[in-house]
Each structure stands twice: as C-alpha cells, then as structure tokens.
Amino acid sequence: MTEPTHDEAHGGALAERLNWLRAAVLGANDGIVSTAGLVVGVAGATDDRSALLTAGLAGLLAGSMSMAAGEYVSVSTQRDSEKAALAVEKRELREQPEAELEELTELLQERGLSRDVAMEAAEQLTARDALRAHARVELGIDPDRLTNPWHAAWASFLAFTAGALLPLLAMVLPPSAWRLTVTIVSVLAALALTGWSSARLGAAAPARAMLRNVAGGALAMGVTYAAGTLLGAAGV
C-alpha cells in the first residue's frame, strides 16, 4: 500500500515563496520581453551590431534599475504598513488586554474551535507571546519575517538582468543572417520555460501560463519589429 504524499506548502512558507516567485518571474519576464522587443525593433531598422548592442544594454540597465526601484518602493510601503499595524496591536494589548484576549478567543472560534478550547488556546498564546499571537492570528503577519525591500529589489534587479541578457546576446552574437531567427526562437523558448516554472512552483497548471508568456512575447516582438521596419524604411 502506497503511503499518501503531502508536499504542498502551507501558510507563511507558501506566501513567502509566492512573493519571491512573483518578483523573480515578473523580473525575468519583463527582462526577456522588453529587451527582446527593443532589440528586435532596432533590428527592423538596422543591422548594425553596435547599434543593437547599445540599445540592448541601455534597455537592460534602465529596466533592471526601474524594476529594482519599483520593488523597493512597493515592498517598503508594505513593510511600513506591517510595522504600523504591529504598533497599533502592541498599544491595544497594553491598554486593553482583556478586550484583546476576548478578540483572540473569537478569532480562534471563527477557525472552528469551541468556546472553551478557543479560550484556553488564547490564554496560552497570550501568556507565551501576546503580540506574536495577535500578529499571526489577527493580522496574518509574522513579526520575525517582515517583508524586506532590499531583498525584493535585488531579486528583481538580478531576475530582470538575467532575462534581458538572453535576447541581447542572441541578437548580437550570431551572424547577421541568423540574428532575428535565433533571437525569436530563444526568446519564445525562454518564455515557455519561465511560464512553466512559475506555474509549477505555484502549484498551477503550466499550459495556460506558458501560452500567456509565449503569446505576449510574440506580440511584443511582432509590434516592435513592424515599427522598426517602418521607421527604417522611412529613413527615421
């Protein structure tokens, strides 16, 4: 008889993994798609390797810095909100401990415990660490694992850079006749891979995520290549 397996993540571990996954996948996808669109667009107007490299590097640096700054600001705001909520909870515990104990009891009751069991659990949790108990049960926050804006910023910066390097190198390294083909194939393959990885790590079906990534990247490259070709033909 085969024993059942139970390997899915739960609670804070899943939330933390999904936060890192979100930053990494968004950063990599943005790096791949935006840089691919940029270099393919420039390739529609010119086949000069220097121009392609300059445009690709500029897009990589601008995009990676933008992603890092955006994640830092976003996660800093979230961290500030978490700290403010913890400060309010700490004050309430100091000023009205009985009311907070009753609130914790009711929250535990809402999770399926009987009144007596909920009261006993609330008293034990409060005696051990009242702030931690309210933070986790009431606010859904782990005081020891607040979101870190620097971690998110570096993750986004590195993910974007890693993603952007692929279309940049695919465009500037091959011979002129193969640049566009190599870039398109490598970009679509990379987008399929990131779509599959994000879906698997998030315990979702991979086919839809892969299709979304590939379709979005193909559309971006098609539009920018058309624009670059028109501008090149017009001599702009």
Side-chain angles (χ1 to χ4, degrees):
M1 180 176 178
T2 303
E3 294 184 0
T5 58
H6 191 68
D7 58 359
E8 68 268 25
H10 292 281
L14 177 60
E16 183 180 6
R17 188 177 74 178
L18 290 179
N19 283 336
W20 280 96
L21 175 64
R22 175 187 63 84
V25 170
L26 286 178
N29 278 350
D30 281 354
I32 294 170
V33 175
S34 62
T35 306
L38 180 62
V39 295
V40 167
V42 174
T46 179
D47 62 354
D48 182 71
R49 189 187 301 270
S50 177
L52 293 169
L53 179 61
T54 300
L57 283 176
L60 184 155
L61 292 174
S64 61
M65 294 301 295
S66 176
M67 285 289 296
E71 278 296 315
Y72 181 84
V73 170
S74 174
V75 175
S76 292
T77 301
Q78 180 182 345
R79 185 182 179 90
D80 290 343
S81 298
E82 291 172 345
K83 286 184 174 181
L86 290 173
V88 170
E89 198 62 40
K90 186 175 183 179
R91 186 184 71 247
E92 291 177 345
L93 285 167
R94 183 177 63 252
E95 296 176 351
Q96 43 189 5
E98 294 301 325
E100 288 299 298
L101 178 61
E102 176 61 25
E103 181 182 36
L104 183 58
T105 300
E106 293 175 355
L107 288 170
L108 292 173
Q109 280 185 269
E110 292 175 2
R111 298 191 175 191
L113 299 181
S114 67
R115 171 71 184 181
D116 291 341
V117 173
M119 174 64 78
E120 182 180 355
E123 290 174 347
Q124 292 184 14
L125 289 171
T126 299
R128 180 175 300 174
D129 192 328
L131 180 59
R132 184 186 304 277
H134 280 267
R136 289 181 171 177
V137 177
E138 181 181 350
L139 305 176
I141 297 173
D142 186 342
D144 296 328
R145 304 177 75 173
L146 298 182
T147 52
N148 189 314
W150 285 109
H151 289 172
W154 276 109
S156 293
F157 178 88
L158 293 174
F160 187 100
T161 300
L165 281 173
L166 182 130
L168 174 59
L169 295 177
M171 182 60 75
V172 300
L173 292 181
S176 177
W178 288 95
R179 286 175 187 167
L180 192 59
T181 301
V182 171
T183 300
I184 292 173
V185 171
S186 60
V187 164
L188 295 183
L191 290 175
L193 178 60
T194 57
W196 179 87
S197 299
S198 65
R200 294 296 297 170
L201 291 173
R208 184 174 298 178
M210 294 171 65
L211 180 60
R212 282 197 302 262
N213 276 12
V214 171
L219 178 62
M221 288 187 290
V223 170
T224 55
Y225 184 77
T229 300
L230 291 174
L231 290 173
V236 177

